[in-house]
Amino acid sequence: MKGKTIFIVALCIFGFLAVTCFGQKKTNPYINPGQLWPDTQGNHVQAHGGGIIKIKDTYYWYGEERAQNLDTNKRYVSCYSSTDLINWSFKGDVVQMTDPENLGPKWILERPKVYYNKKSRQYVMYFHLDDKKYKVAKVGIAVCDKPDGEFKYLKSFRPLDHESRDIGQFIDDDGTAYLVFEDRPLGFHIAKLADDYLSLEKEMCLIPEHMEGGAIVHYQGLYYAIGSALTGWRANPNKYATAKSLAGPWSAFKDIAPPETNTYGSQSTMILKVVGEKSTTVIFMGDIWRPAAQWDSRYLWMPLELGNGNLKLPAPKPWTLDIKSGQWHYLYNN
Ligand code: GAL
């Protein structure tokens, strides 16, 4: 009888702990560049080569879903949401697509970027669409009426009739949306999206440099553009240039970090500006690719040091951000 009572009490305690501990959403107090990044379920975030948009107070992070054991005929784009940029909750794979243009086995869907079109109230996703040899060089478009619903494939094309492989997304302070894309014969294009975002309206600039992972930010009256060299999954020294207008002229390109670090093992995918009540933090978002184990690829997010035409990516260290004030600080002082 005594033993039975102890057993029941132990069971109740275990049950209570299970409900209070396991049932709770996990929270991360900080961003730890290069380490596993657990989402609110405790799984490593799968949003590689990604992009972020902010809708009201919520950020949505879209990226390449590269978890293990997925259907190898399909390509997946994941969606996560967050209100602090640190804790991300998995909303599902908003794209689960089977080869939409008959490009053959090992077809490519990379670097998804989502824009919200206020007029059509549609979420418009651009992505790099290609065959296994990267010879098709097009963008694909999929749309949805919700940020985290199922995106429907619409079409593919070469932007302004140019080859397009890596793409990047830039939304200016006035809300104008741009696509940046890498064109092997010519260089790095910055192009304005058409009114409905379903095509490109015009080219703003062609920078005659070969840059992948293109990313742009508008900060204190200057545009800063970052890109990487063309070394596939291997990291290289990413570089930046500045201009007073997107149309240029653009300055010469300079290293964003000591070149021997190869951008601390990462490749740019986006620059995110967080404007808070007290301060503005500009975040470099990069991927640390692990080509032999892509599901284990990591992220390198660090606040950039920038101003007066200079930009520096500091050595990665754990840091945290207060989204309301816009202020960030390192977790440790050294
Ligand atoms: C990188 C590019 C990636 C992927 C990879 C394939 O240069 O940034 O998105 O296309 O090459 O080798």
Side-chain angles (χ1 to χ4, degrees):
M1 192 64 185
K2 217 176 163 194
K4 202 173 167 192
T5 314
I6 292 172
F7 176 72
I8 291 171
V9 170
L11 206 66
C12 290
I13 293 175
F14 177 77
F16 175 75
L17 287 177
V19 170
T20 52
C21 301
F22 301 123
Q24 247 176 29
K25 290 196 165 179
K26 297 205 172 65
T27 51
N28 300 315
Y30 55 88
I31 290 175
N32 205 346
Q35 302 305 308
L36 287 172
W37 194 333
D39 66 10
T40 53
Q41 307 294 320
N43 302 313
H44 179 47
V45 170
Q46 291 291 332
H48 313 283
I52 290 192
I53 50 165
K54 189 181 181 196
I55 306 293
K56 299 203 176 98
D57 287 335
T58 304
Y59 291 92
Y60 292 92
W61 179 3
Y62 302 88
E64 298 160 19
E65 161 73 82
R66 290 182 177 272
Q68 282 175 284
N69 305 323
L70 294 173
D71 180 344
T72 52
N73 294 314
K74 291 190 178 176
R75 301 294 171 265
Y76 301 79
V77 177
S78 58
C79 171
Y80 292 80
S81 75
S82 171
T83 48
D84 62 9
L85 289 174
I86 302 173
N87 294 283
W88 291 93
S89 124
F90 181 53
K91 309 300 284 182
D93 289 329
V94 293
V95 166
Q96 305 190 24
M97 204 185 285
T98 314
D99 192 359
E101 302 282 357
N102 294 318
L103 299 170
K106 302 204 175 154
W107 66 283
I108 305 285
L109 187 166
E110 287 177 345
R111 297 190 175 271
K113 308 283 179 259
V114 173
Y115 303 82
Y116 176 61
N117 189 290
K118 280 192 184 147
K119 279 191 200 152
S120 65
R121 297 197 181 159
Q122 265 196 330
Y123 293 81
V124 180
M125 180 188 294
Y126 276 69
F127 48 82
H128 172 196
L129 183 69
D130 227 319
D131 68 345
K132 65 174 180 193
K133 292 194 165 156
Y134 288 89
K135 291 278 184 247
V136 171
K138 287 185 173 179
V139 291
I141 293 190
V143 294
C144 187
D145 55 6
K146 290 193 291 192
D148 53 359
E150 186 191 333
F151 280 68
K152 293 252 164 9
Y153 179 73
L154 214 60
K155 59 178 174 179
S156 70
F157 57 93
R158 280 193 165 173
L160 304 170
D161 289 332
H162 295 298
E163 289 188 16
S164 170
R165 291 184 176 81
D166 275 15
I167 59 166
Q169 158 183 36
F170 172 58
I171 300 170
D172 209 341
D173 298 335
D174 63 3
T176 313
Y178 301 90
L179 182 78
V180 303
F181 60 98
E182 190 266 323
D183 169 7
R184 209 54 54 94
L186 295 177
F188 184 87
H189 296 270
I190 306 170
K192 183 169 176 276
L193 300 194
D195 252 13
D196 58 7
Y197 291 3
L198 301 180
S199 62
L200 294 172
E201 183 185 307
K202 62 170 180 184
E203 175 154 290
M204 307 302 294
C205 192
L206 166 66
I207 306 179
E209 295 280 341
H210 292 288
M211 310 280 283
E212 292 192 322
I216 296 179
V217 69
H218 191 181
Y219 183 72
Q220 293 181 343
L222 267 187
Y223 292 92
Y224 294 75
I226 292 184
S228 83
L230 278 55
T231 58
W233 301 118
R234 276 179 301 111
N236 56 60
N238 291 192
K239 295 189 187 290
Y240 78 97
T242 60
K244 285 200 183 115
S245 144
L246 282 179
W250 287 86
S251 70
F253 278 85
K254 294 185 215 156
D255 290 316
I256 71 167
E260 64 279 9
T261 71
N262 283 330
T263 322
Y264 302 106
S266 74
Q267 181 188 23
S268 58
T269 186
M270 189 164 183
I271 312 174
L272 188 66
K273 184 164 76 170
V274 178
V275 182
E277 287 166 0
K278 293 195 180 144
S279 183
T280 295
T281 293
V282 178
I283 305 171
F284 171 86
M285 292 167 47
D287 293 288
I288 300 176
W289 297 110
R290 298 204 164 158
Q294 286 287 23
W295 58 90
D296 196 28
S297 294
R298 309 291 171 91
Y299 310 97
L300 190 151
W301 286 22
M302 281 299 290
L304 286 168
E305 293 171 16
L306 81 170
N308 301 321
N310 297 310
L311 179 152
K312 191 181 151 209
L313 173 68
K317 284 202 279 184
W319 61 285
T320 190
L321 173 73
D322 175 11
I323 208 86
K324 198 157 183 275
S325 71
Q327 291 168 312
W328 70 274
H329 64 82
Y330 286 122
L331 210 60
Y332 314 110
N333 289 327
N334 47 28

